[in-house]
Amino acid sequence: MENKEFSDIQQEIARLSEEINRHNYYYYMLDDPKISDYDFDQLLQRLIDLERQHPEYVRPDSPTQRVGGTITKQFESATHLYPMLSLGNTYSEGDLTEFDTRVRDLLNGPVEYVCELKYDGVAISLIYEHGILTRAVTRGDGARGDVVTANVKTIGSVPLSLTGDFPDILEARGEIIMPFDSFNALNADREEIGEPPFANPRNAASGSLKLQSSAEVAKRGLAFKLYYALGENLPEHNHYDQLRKLHQWGFRFPDVMEKVPGLQGVFDFIHKWDVERKQLPYPIDGIVIKVNDFAQQQQVGATAKSPRWAIAYKFKAERVSTPLLSVDYQVGRTGIITPVANLRPVSLAGTVVKRATLNNRDFIADMDIREGDCLFVEKGGEIIPKIVGVDVEKRLPDAEPVRFVETCPVCGTPLRQNEGEAGVFCPNELHCAPQIKGRLEHFISRKAMNIDSLGEGKIDLLFAQGLVRNAADLYDLTYEKLFGLEKVVEDENGKSRALSFKEKMTQNILNGIEQSKSVPFERVLYALGIRFVGEVTAKKLARHFATVDCLANASKEDLMEVEDVGDRVADSIIQYFNDTENLEMVMRLRAAGLRFEMGEEAKPASDKLAGMSIVVSGVFTIPRDEVKALIEQHGGKNVSSISKNTTYVLAGEKMGPEKRKKAENLGVPIISEEDFRQMIGL
Ligand code: IVH
């Protein structure tokens, strides 16, 4: 009877997986979705629920792997089946002519090339065994790389399994990239929590691949671009047809790829894409030219480092030199001072450049930038102009080095720099205007308290009127205080208009503030703007500690029990709650009615684990955070290290051998996820 039920469930899991995979294929590979996002999410949720109840049926290619959940503390390394070579680079058409001559000499005859985009991301090798993705490895040093399989499985354009007449073993290679949209959204989020933004999409893609939590990777919006395949006895005889074949097996065919009959075709392709790349939604830094025919590729051969049958042509960044007029110093939300160069306006790659960031004090010193220097400005694939050097020949004699300000340009406080950090900052966190306004803007922002009836301009006005100095002041605002306030603001086009609080606007603001009182604790915690506590960390802290009192009284050790909370985050939380002004503000916010405790979801579900101290180790079928939350909901306590007082060690997959030894030595029983589920009746 039971068996029958199980096999029904197994069938249902298989059916749902098949249906979801099909829709993933329409969406990612063909750009042609057949159902709404909502309907898709419903299907996926049903599968997630079923797999949670029956983890024994989770398949390595289940579409739920896209959602992530695996935590990898350290990436193992693996040797590549075939070394991952790099390509010879060139910036000149002359070099391409030489490349073509060399190739044709070696072949003694004509040659067909394939031109592709050179994606600007991170190289990845995907291994499919019997049609199932079993391993994803980064390039590393070309011979060995890091195994990042769980993270890569979250990327929608990576097929988890293949269809059709695929070979037993297939290695697909390509680039993991971050499209500009995802990149901009990620950096906006990072700036909101005071984390330094990524310099370019490539760094962001590479940082994302190395995240410990695959659920986080799933949110980063990465994509896979196929460019190469390897394996024994693959059916096709040239590169172009091979990628077509891989498309039949389930990969996305490159958006742009052309067969050309000779060098002139290569030049035409380059000229076209040097212009059209500006419209592409993801970054490329050049063009790759490959000999199409495999037999010809073999004939041309390879050196130890790179094939001779392919070459990369990199786009030149456009560069000009222009005099530095002056330097402005901007104070950011977290107090970091950013020097900005005012330049004599100059035309560069289609726009007029007047200002460019000088990043930080070390940047100015390392480049030895002096007053009145002519600076080289470049605009490559990126949108933002970059200062790349000094035109020393044009330097005036006796030019003085640019002296970085020593006091805050807004509040006059002497600036500081932390050891090992490049940024100079204003330490007057609580009383420096841009920092106060920045914190208020963060507090009302969408992912925090979501008070959208207040915006930057209105916060400025309230601040200028002395009505708000911190978030708690917002809850003391009244109709009388707001009504009739006025100021002149500039819109995006530089036009002046009056901002005045009339009846309706005033009421909207007050309503928005009132509604924010029902925002859940985790978002209130995020809204406080504690340094390094982003949206995700706030959620984890809220679930772990359940109330702000528990959090404020937590020791560093307690804090570090929370996943993803390390030294730096723990210190920052402790520092925040040690400050009397912060504590007073939290008290006022609580008195105003904001939520500083978890709601129903955190109330104990049972007392089945009451009095037990449990150490959780390894990887589970659900995120480790959720395992820990379950322990607490059933009255147990999470502890981080094994001692004789530990009741159980709850071991997932890949539990460290040292932990196991320690548990065995101390006689602490080790239980599995399955045992644990039975204990709590799940
Ligand atoms: S083919 C043996 N094609 O550029 C040939 N590479 O130094 C292997 N890349 O490490 C490379 N777009 O990460 C190839 N369309 C493309 C590419 C591409 C980007 C990267 C790749 C490689 C580097 C070359």
Side-chain angles (χ1 to χ4, degrees):
M1 180 69 210
E2 213 177 10
N3 274 344
K4 166 147 193 348
E5 187 195 324
F6 273 2
S7 75
D8 283 353
I9 287 161
Q10 211 169 357
Q11 266 180 20
E12 176 66 359
I13 287 185
R15 194 194 62 74
L16 275 169
S17 301
E18 188 276 325
E19 189 173 354
I20 294 168
N21 278 337
R22 192 153 32 86
H23 288 298
N24 267 332
Y25 183 77
Y26 293 138
Y27 186 93
Y28 288 107
M29 307 301 159
L30 306 179
D31 274 338
D32 182 21
K34 302 274 188 228
I35 59 174
S36 70
D37 286 0
Y38 175 81
D39 289 341
F40 181 83
D41 288 344
Q42 297 284 92
L43 286 174
L44 191 62
Q45 192 57 48
R46 263 186 35 222
L47 183 59
I48 291 173
D49 292 344
L50 271 181
E51 287 186 347
R52 266 197 196 158
Q53 286 157 20
H54 301 277
E56 66 277 21
Y57 294 147
V58 179
R59 298 172 1 175
D61 63 337
S62 166
T64 56
Q65 310 278 317
R66 305 275 195 220
V67 188
T70 306
I71 303 295
T72 315
K73 279 284 173 200
Q74 249 175 353
F75 296 104
E76 286 171 20
S77 68
T79 305
H80 293 297
L81 298 181
Y82 309 85
M84 282 182 89
L85 303 181
S86 62
L87 292 174
N89 275 338
T90 169
Y91 289 88
S92 86
E93 296 193 359
D95 285 354
L96 287 183
T97 310
E98 276 178 31
F99 164 81
D100 175 58
T101 313
R102 215 168 37 235
V103 167
R104 279 188 300 110
D105 281 353
L106 285 165
L107 292 178
N108 235 334
V111 57
E112 180 180 60
Y113 293 115
V114 174
C115 297
E116 292 170 19
L117 303 180
K118 185 171 189 307
Y119 312 105
D120 197 8
V122 189
I124 195 86
S125 143
L126 307 175
I127 306 290
Y128 290 83
E129 293 176 62
H130 305 285
I132 306 285
L133 172 63
T134 52
R135 213 172 72 182
V137 188
T138 62
R139 179 169 189 277
D141 61 6
R144 286 178 79 76
D146 289 330
V147 180
V148 288
T149 319
N151 285 354
V152 168
K153 281 185 179 179
T154 66
I155 301 171
S157 36
V158 170
L160 301 182
S161 52
L162 308 178
T163 46
D165 58 343
F166 51 78
D168 285 351
I169 308 278
L170 175 73
E171 176 165 358
R173 288 185 183 171
E175 201 88 348
I176 307 276
I177 50 134
M178 186 176 282
F180 292 122
D181 275 358
S182 313
F183 173 70
N184 293 334
L186 173 64
N187 267 355
D189 283 353
R190 285 173 74 84
E191 288 195 61
E192 220 178 287
I193 60 161
E195 289 272 306
F198 284 109
N200 52 50
R202 181 179 0 97
N203 292 0
S206 137
S208 302
L209 263 196
K210 297 289 175 61
L211 285 172
Q212 286 178 358
S213 157
S214 60
E216 283 310 299
V217 183
K219 295 182 196 151
R220 292 273 172 110
L222 297 170
F224 171 70
K225 298 290 173 193
L226 171 73
Y227 59 59
Y228 197 48
L230 287 150
E232 295 202 359
N233 304 323
L234 295 184
E236 303 298 338
H237 300 287
N238 67 59
H239 177 65
Y240 192 93
D241 291 345
Q242 181 143 298
L243 293 198
R244 285 228 75 88
K245 194 77 206 169
L246 262 80
H247 179 54
Q248 284 173 16
W249 294 336
F251 289 88
R252 190 182 166 108
F253 192 72
D255 305 326
V256 177
M257 183 169 181
E258 259 177 50
K259 284 190 277 194
V260 297
L263 191 60
Q264 189 51 49
V266 171
F267 288 151
D268 292 345
F269 186 90
I270 287 176
H271 299 155
K272 176 168 170 214
W273 283 99
D274 196 6
V275 178
E276 294 201 1
R277 71 186 159 117
K278 286 161 194 133
Q279 260 78 52
L280 280 172
Y282 48 82
I284 64 167
D285 59 346
I287 297 297
V288 178
I289 300 115
K290 298 173 182 170
V291 170
N292 192 21
D293 186 83
F294 289 150
Q296 289 191 330
Q297 285 187 1
Q298 277 242 304
Q299 241 176 306
V300 179
T303 68
K305 269 186 17 208
S306 47
R308 281 202 200 89
W309 46 261
I311 191 165
Y313 173 86
K314 301 251 255 179
F315 295 127
K316 270 192 271 309
E318 280 186 52
R319 172 190 281 210
V320 287
S321 105
T322 187
L324 170 68
L325 303 177
S326 63
V327 179
D328 285 344
Y329 294 89
Q330 293 177 341
V331 188
R333 174 174 88 80
T334 55
I336 298 279
I337 312 290
T338 307
V340 180
N342 290 308
L343 304 165
R344 181 191 289 163
V346 61
S347 204
L348 178 64
T351 55
V352 175
V353 178
K354 294 183 217 153
R355 280 160 73 79
T357 181
L358 290 165
N359 301 304
N360 52 48
R361 179 157 67 187
D362 290 354
F363 182 89
I364 297 177
D366 292 348
M367 276 205 186
D368 186 23
I369 299 177
R370 313 238 181 133
E371 306 275 355
D373 267 351
C374 271
L375 303 182
F376 287 119
V377 192
E378 242 184 44
K379 220 161 97 172
E382 293 97 23
I383 314 100
I384 301 160
K386 216 163 64 181
I387 290 177
V388 292
V390 177
D391 194 346
V392 185
E393 286 177 9
K394 292 198 187 145
R395 175 169 287 165
L396 302 170
D398 309 326
E400 290 282 327
V402 167
R403 288 202 35 202
F404 201 88
V405 279
E406 285 173 5
T407 55
C408 174
V410 177
C411 70
T413 306
L415 300 177
R416 276 206 227 142
Q417 181 167 17
N418 284 336
E419 195 145 325
E421 287 178 19
V424 172
F425 65 96
C426 164
N428 186 17
E429 211 180 317
L430 294 174
H431 304 105
C432 175
Q435 299 190 60
I436 298 172
K437 282 194 275 182
R439 266 196 306 278
L440 286 166
E441 278 154 19
H442 168 74
F443 185 82
I444 63 167
S445 65
R446 192 172 47 84
K447 290 182 180 166
M449 305 304 283
N450 193 22
I451 311 180
D452 61 359
S453 50
L454 276 173
E456 201 178 315
K458 292 175 198 156
I459 290 284
D460 266 353
L461 176 53
L462 297 179
F463 181 81
Q465 295 289 328
L467 285 171
V468 287
R469 283 290 173 269
N470 71 31
D473 296 334
L474 292 172
Y475 296 87
D476 289 342
L477 293 173
T478 58
Y479 191 90
E480 291 69 33
K481 285 184 189 168
L482 293 176
F483 184 79
L485 291 182
E486 245 183 359
K487 81 166 194 176
V488 176
V489 288
E490 270 189 9
D491 66 16
E492 331 54 282
N493 306 320
K495 272 204 192 138
S496 298
R497 64 180 175 88
L499 168 70
S500 63
F501 289 5
K502 304 221 175 77
E503 203 179 312
K504 187 149 178 241
M505 191 187 282
T506 307
Q507 204 48 59
N508 275 345
I509 293 173
L510 292 170
N511 290 347
I513 292 173
E514 190 58 32
Q515 276 161 16
S516 73
K517 292 180 184 170
S518 56
V519 164
F521 175 41
E522 56 195 48
R523 276 172 48 202
V524 176
L525 192 54
Y526 169 62
L528 293 181
I530 304 171
R531 208 158 175 230
F532 308 127
V533 176
E535 213 192 330
V536 178
T537 309
K539 197 178 272 180
K540 290 183 178 166
L541 288 166
R543 296 214 175 135
H544 188 93
F545 291 102
T547 73
V548 75
D549 292 330
C550 290
L551 175 65
N553 292 322
S555 67
K556 186 163 175 178
E557 221 190 1
D558 295 338
L559 289 166
M560 286 176 59
E561 267 179 26
V562 180
E563 197 183 322
D564 288 350
V565 172
D567 239 1
R568 197 177 63 143
V569 183
D571 283 342
S572 163
I573 297 169
I574 289 173
Q575 200 185 337
Y576 184 90
F577 288 109
N578 270 342
D579 187 295
T580 45
E581 285 199 41
N582 287 335
L583 283 179
E584 193 203 333
M585 183 183 79
V586 169
M587 268 166 17
R588 282 178 62 205
L589 288 172
R590 175 141 65 174
L594 268 65
R595 292 182 54 183
F596 278 98
E597 297 190 357
M598 290 295 276
E600 283 301 313
E601 66 276 21
K603 296 264 161 66
S606 84
D607 55 3
K608 289 187 178 142
L609 306 179
M612 297 186 186
S613 295
I614 300 179
V615 172
V616 177
S617 177
V619 178
F620 298 86
T621 56
I622 58 174
R624 196 142 57 154
D625 256 9
E626 288 182 27
V627 175
K628 288 186 171 180
L630 280 171
I631 291 178
E632 277 166 25
Q633 282 164 21
H634 290 275
K637 193 171 165 222
N638 284 293
V639 283
S640 54
S641 58
I642 305 171
S643 73
K644 61 180 185 347
N645 299 326
T646 310
T647 321
Y648 292 116
V649 173
L650 170 52
E653 266 180 52
K654 299 189 193 143
M655 174 169 109
E658 266 167 38
K659 277 216 165 130
R660 183 173 291 276
K661 218 187 208 163
K662 191 163 177 197
E664 280 166 5
N665 285 345
L666 290 170
V668 178
I670 301 177
I671 56 170
S672 69
E673 181 174 346
E674 190 52 40
D675 301 333
F676 173 69
R677 283 176 185 274
Q678 278 182 4
M679 283 168 81
I680 59 173
L682 203 72

